[in-house]
């Protein structure tokens, strides 16, 4: 921290309650009242340097021993006026980054310019400000912070803008070339010597984000302007801007590093501000941070953006800020976790525990990203080879880049599909979650993105357990999103015993699994034509073994699949018989494309023996008899 001393005389100001006289052999002839304090001073030293006092005294016409002047609109406090008065008397004063703004405003008010006297206070303050304060890192920040007490005067005098420009220029400069005034940052201050710039020459190169913690001390209005100046420089990497915003949010938003924003706790702990004032303050900070997030993808982590979104919900931020956050999260949704997407609902219109609508918006933004480019390069119409031109090489290079981009987009969709299936498992426990919202999220995922449906089946099973009052029609509607062909063997074994599933699902699971298991065992060399046709309509390769069970998600103990007691096929058959008793009134829409009714197929499956060859011969004969009866 740099200092400047002016004057050489000892301090002769004394305090007697609210009266501050100056010790002198000459009696005072001027009384100045400032902020409730009265100063007994002399005209000669003050009027010789203060043009405003000259004009005020010339307007005073009454003849008396003491002339009284009241400065009602004095911009600074009594300390700043006293500093200016001591300068007029030649008394030693000390200037620093902490009092230069107040002193500069007071000197401007008193009009202590060069027109009155050469080398006046304003000139000396400007020299110190430009040559010392603005050259130091910590001095610039401290001075900028002090402008908050005099916002209008600081703006008119250009103090605020000059401090911001100085800070931004230092941020965009390598730290080894910046005079840090032995403050640097909290991570490195203990290693700094008295001369910060000299100390850095012997240390390791500083981190490029060294500035983030120091400017996080600024209020949101000054911080916003400073960050705008840094971004406009065009030299700062976007991820460093994002890291700086994360540091600022952690400092000024309550519990932003944990579950969103614990505003209620922060409001109860506040002694000076009311809850409404605190909410408005935090909302302003949040919306300002959102406006500062760089446009580049990945500039801010997905986790940080989702924490801001949780805080925006609690603080009732503007819809534009929420939509901007949702859009930004949607661009990099593949990096999110399920815990990040668990956003508490604060709406009074619904009783759901989680804000599912905003997650649906995020998913829509993710799916709106660009379409995949062609999978093969354009071929020349000519049948002979020709010399490749440079433009053709550029086209091939662009094509390879597009192929890599397409591959990355496909991989992202696979990750998001897994993520959303596990998210459905979490929100499925909410008894107030509507069936339509559950299905809407599940159906939004492209079919190719789900390599298997095990996680989706877990989600459906959890939802059915949490909503036992669903009728048969609603359960059928829910299970239409499930593809039984993409279930693993363990999932099929669980589904065959699941009494909550509709009969159609159980029949499909058993049929596809029995056929697939039979061919995987190698005991059947040829299937009947009607069975082959039926499997072909569902794109099933009977020779392909069942897909392994997905282990991408961790489930609570009560949601794990239990396959005990499945060594004997009796458990499957008993479940089917129970389903028959419940759903014996099948409608005409349950007929298969080949004309075989579900009830007849079910009876055939219930009679399937353990040996695969006898199973398919029995099923084939049943199909033939049914067909002959119709004919």
């Amino acid at each position: 921290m740099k200092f400047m001393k002016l004057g050489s005389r000892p301090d002769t100001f004394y305090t007697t309650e609210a009266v501050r006289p100056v010790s002198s052999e000459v009696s005072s002839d001027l009384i100045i009242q400032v902020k409730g304090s009265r100063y007994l001073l002399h005209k000669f030293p003050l009027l010789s340097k203060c043009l405003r006092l000259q004009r005020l005294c010339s307007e005073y016409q009454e003849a008396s021993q003491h002339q009284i002047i009241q400065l009602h609109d004095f911009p600074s406090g009594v300390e700043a006026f006293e500093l200016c008065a001591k300068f007029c008397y030649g008394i030693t004063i000390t200037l620093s980054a902490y009092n230069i703004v107040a002193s500069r405003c007071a000197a401007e008010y008193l009009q202590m310019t060069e027109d009155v006297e050469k080398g006046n206070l304003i000139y000396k303050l400007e020299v110190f400000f430009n040559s010392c304060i603005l050259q130091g890192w910590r001095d610039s920040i401290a001075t900028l912070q002090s402008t908050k007490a005099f916002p209008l005067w600081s703006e008119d005098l250009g103090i605020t803008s000059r401090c911001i420009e100085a800070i931004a220029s230092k941020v965009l400069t390598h730290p080894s070339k910046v005079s840090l005034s032995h403050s640097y940052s909290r991570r490195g201050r203990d290693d700094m010597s008295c001369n910060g710039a000299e100390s850095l020459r012997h240390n390791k190169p500083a981190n490029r984000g060294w500035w983030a913690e120091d400017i996080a001390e600024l209020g949101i209005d000054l911080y916003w302007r400073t960050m705008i100046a840094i971004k406009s420089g065009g030299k700062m990497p976007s991820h460093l801007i994002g890291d700086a915003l994360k540091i600022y949010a952690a400092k000024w938003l309550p519990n932003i590093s944990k579950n969103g924003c614990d505003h209620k706790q922060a409001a109860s702990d506040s002694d000076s501000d009311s809850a409404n004032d605190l909410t408005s303050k935090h909302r302003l900070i949040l919306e300002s941070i959102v406006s500062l997030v760089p446009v580049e993808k990945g500039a801010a982590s997905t986790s940080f953006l989702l924490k801001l979104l949780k805080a925006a919900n609690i603080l009732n931020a503007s819809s534009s800020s929420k939509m901007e956050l949702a859009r930004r999260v949607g661009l990099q949704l593949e990096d999110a976790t399920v815990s990040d997407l668990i956003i508490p609902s604060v709406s009074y219109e619904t009783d759901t525990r989680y804000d599912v609508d905003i997650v649906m918006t995020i998913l829509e933004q993710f799916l709106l990203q660009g379409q995949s480019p062609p999978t093969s390069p354009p071929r020349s119409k000519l049948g002979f080879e020709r010399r490749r031109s440079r433009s053709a090489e550029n086209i091939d290079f662009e094509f390879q880049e597009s192929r890599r981009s397409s591959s990355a987009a496909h991989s992202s969709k696979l990750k998001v599909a897994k993520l959303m299936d596990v998210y459905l498992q979490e929100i499925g426990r909410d008894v107030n979650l509507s069936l339509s919202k559950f299905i809407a999220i599940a159906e939004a995922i492209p079919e190719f993105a789900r390599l298997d449906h095990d996680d989706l089946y877990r989600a459906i099973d959890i939802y059915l357990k949490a909503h036992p009052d669903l009728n048969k029609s609603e359960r059928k509607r829910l299970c239409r999103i499930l593809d039984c062909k993409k279930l693993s063997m363990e999932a099929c074994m669980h589904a065959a015993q699941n009494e909550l599933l509709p009969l159609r699902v159980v029949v499909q699971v058993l049929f596809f699994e029995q056929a697939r298991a039979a061919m995987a065992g190698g005991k059947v060399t040829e299937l009947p034509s009607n069975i082959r046709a039926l499997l072909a309509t569902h794109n099933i390769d009977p020779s392909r073994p069942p897909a392994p069970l997905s282990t991408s998600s961790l489930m609570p103990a009560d949601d794990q699949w239990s396959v005990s007691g499945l060594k004997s096929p009796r458990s499957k058959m008993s479940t089917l018989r129970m389903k028959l008793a419940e759903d014996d009134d099948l409608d005409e829409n349950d007929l298969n494309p080949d004309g075989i009714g579900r009830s007849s197929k079910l009876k055939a499956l219930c009679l399937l023996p353990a040996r695969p060859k006898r199973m398919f011969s029995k099923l084939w004969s049943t199909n033939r008899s049914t067909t002959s009866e119709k004919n």
Side-chain angles (χ1 to χ4, degrees), residues 279 283 286-287 310-319 322 346:
T279 299
R283 186 186 303 118
L286 175 69
E287 294 177 351
K310 294 178 184 179
N313 257 13
I314 296 176
L315 296 173
N316 194 24
S318 63
S319 57
K322 293 181 182 179
V346 294

Side-chain angles (χ1 to χ4, degrees), residues 1 180-183 191-199:
M1 189 67 66
L180 298 173
S181 301
H182 56 88
S183 66
D191 298 331
M192 301 298 292
S193 63
C194 294
N195 189 331
E198 291 293 329
S199 174

Side-chain angles (χ1 to χ4, degrees), residues 107-400:
E108 185 71 21
Y109 177 85
L110 296 174
Q111 300 178 2
M112 303 176 71
T113 63
E114 293 295 286
D115 296 335
V116 183
E117 184 181 77
K118 295 296 182 181
N120 212 341
L121 182 58
I122 290 179
Y123 170 78
K124 294 184 180 297
L125 290 175
E126 285 293 329
V127 171
F128 177 62
F129 180 71
N130 293 322
S131 61
C132 294
I133 296 296
L134 295 182
Q135 302 307 313
W137 168 252
R138 187 64 189 174
D139 294 320
S140 300
I141 294 179
T143 303
L144 182 59
Q145 284 180 306
S146 64
T147 61
K148 190 174 183 179
F150 320 101
L152 297 179
W153 282 84
S154 299
E155 291 289 349
D156 293 341
L157 297 175
I159 299 175
T160 305
S161 59
R162 284 185 286 173
C163 286
I164 291 175
E165 292 174 1
I167 293 171
S169 65
K170 291 175 177 59
V171 170
L172 299 174
T173 304
H174 193 274
S176 61
K177 300 179 181 179
V178 178
S179 177
L180 298 173
S181 301
H182 56 88
S183 66
Y184 183 43
S185 72
R186 294 181 181 86
R187 292 184 296 271
R189 289 175 188 169
D190 295 338
D191 298 331
M192 301 298 292
S193 63
C194 294
N195 189 331
E198 291 293 329
S199 174
L200 281 177
R201 296 176 185 175
H202 305 288
N203 293 338
K204 296 180 180 180
N207 185 0
R208 296 192 66 183
W210 58 271
W211 47 272
E213 287 191 6
D214 284 339
I215 68 171
E217 299 176 3
L218 298 172
I220 186 58
D221 51 346
L222 296 176
Y223 180 83
W224 188 88
R225 292 176 60 181
T226 304
M227 291 297 294
I228 290 294
I230 294 173
K231 292 176 64 178
S232 63
K235 299 180 181 179
M236 185 60 58
S238 59
H239 72 276
L240 293 182
I241 298 290
D243 292 342
L245 295 176
K246 186 176 181 179
I247 291 174
Y248 191 83
K251 180 179 179 62
W252 292 96
L253 289 178
N255 295 340
I256 188 65
S257 60
K258 296 181 181 180
N259 297 326
C261 175
D262 190 4
H263 166 69
K264 294 181 180 179
Q265 181 65 28
S268 61
D269 295 340
S270 176
D271 297 329
S272 58
D273 298 333
S274 64
N276 291 335
D277 293 339
L278 194 60
T279 299
S280 301
K281 175 183 177 182
H282 289 156
R283 186 186 303 118
L284 175 62
I285 293 174
L286 175 69
E287 294 177 351
S288 300
I289 291 175
V290 173
S291 67
L292 290 172
V293 177
V295 297
E296 294 81 3
K297 179 180 178 180
S301 67
T302 307
S303 176
F304 172 59
L305 293 175
L306 283 168
K307 287 175 182 176
L308 289 180
L309 189 54
K310 294 178 184 179
N313 257 13
I314 296 176
L315 296 173
N316 194 24
S318 63
S319 57
S320 60
S321 296
K322 293 181 182 179
M323 287 303 300
E324 176 64 17
L325 286 171
R327 186 188 68 83
R328 299 300 303 276
V329 173
L331 295 178
Q332 51 198 58
L333 181 57
E334 66 273 13
D335 298 328
T337 63
V338 176
S339 60
D340 293 333
L341 292 176
I342 301 300
I343 303 176
S345 175
V346 294
S347 175
Y348 295 101
E349 300 177 357
T350 177
D351 295 329
T352 55
R353 296 166 54 189
Y354 310 114
D355 193 340
V356 181
D357 295 332
I358 194 67
V359 175
M360 188 65 191
T361 302
I362 293 173
L363 181 58
E364 291 173 353
Q365 293 296 324
F366 171 79
L367 297 174
L368 284 175
Q369 297 183 79
Q371 300 294 329
S372 300
T375 56
S376 59
R379 296 182 179 180
S380 174
K381 296 181 179 179
L382 300 178
F384 56 87
E385 295 182 358
R386 61 174 57 184
R387 185 176 180 271
R388 294 169 59 85
S389 64
R390 183 172 299 274
S391 60
E393 293 177 357
N394 292 337
I395 292 175
D396 284 352
F397 174 77
E398 293 177 358
F399 169 75
Q400 294 298 333

Side-chain angles (χ1 to χ4, degrees), residues 6-119:
L6 299 175
S8 57
R9 295 179 56 187
D11 191 354
T12 55
F13 273 67
Y14 295 92
T15 300
T16 304
E17 295 180 355
V19 179
R20 296 174 181 261
V22 177
S23 177
S24 174
E25 296 179 355
V26 181
S27 60
S28 62
D29 55 357
L30 180 62
I31 299 177
I32 299 179
Q33 293 183 348
V34 180
K35 306 290 184 179
S37 298
R38 174 174 293 192
Y39 287 88
L40 305 181
L41 306 175
H42 302 83
K43 290 183 180 181
F44 173 72
L46 269 71
L47 300 186
S48 62
K49 292 181 172 61
C50 303
L51 181 59
R52 179 180 286 269
L53 294 181
Q54 289 182 17
R55 293 174 178 174
L56 291 176
C57 288
S58 63
E59 295 173 359
Y60 190 82
Q61 299 177 355
E62 295 183 7
S64 61
Q65 183 180 359
H66 293 89
Q67 191 168 1
I68 302 176
I69 297 177
Q70 296 183 356
L71 304 178
H72 298 290
D73 54 348
F74 191 74
S76 306
V78 293
E79 295 82 4
F81 174 80
E82 192 168 318
L83 187 144
C84 293
K86 289 180 180 180
F87 174 80
C88 296
Y89 280 94
I91 297 174
T92 302
I93 58 175
T94 303
L95 297 170
S96 69
Y98 292 106
N99 64 1
I100 188 172
V101 176
S103 302
R104 180 67 179 85
C105 295
E108 185 71 21
Y109 177 85
L110 296 174
Q111 300 178 2
M112 303 176 71
T113 63
E114 293 295 286
D115 296 335
V116 183
E117 184 181 77
K118 295 296 182 181

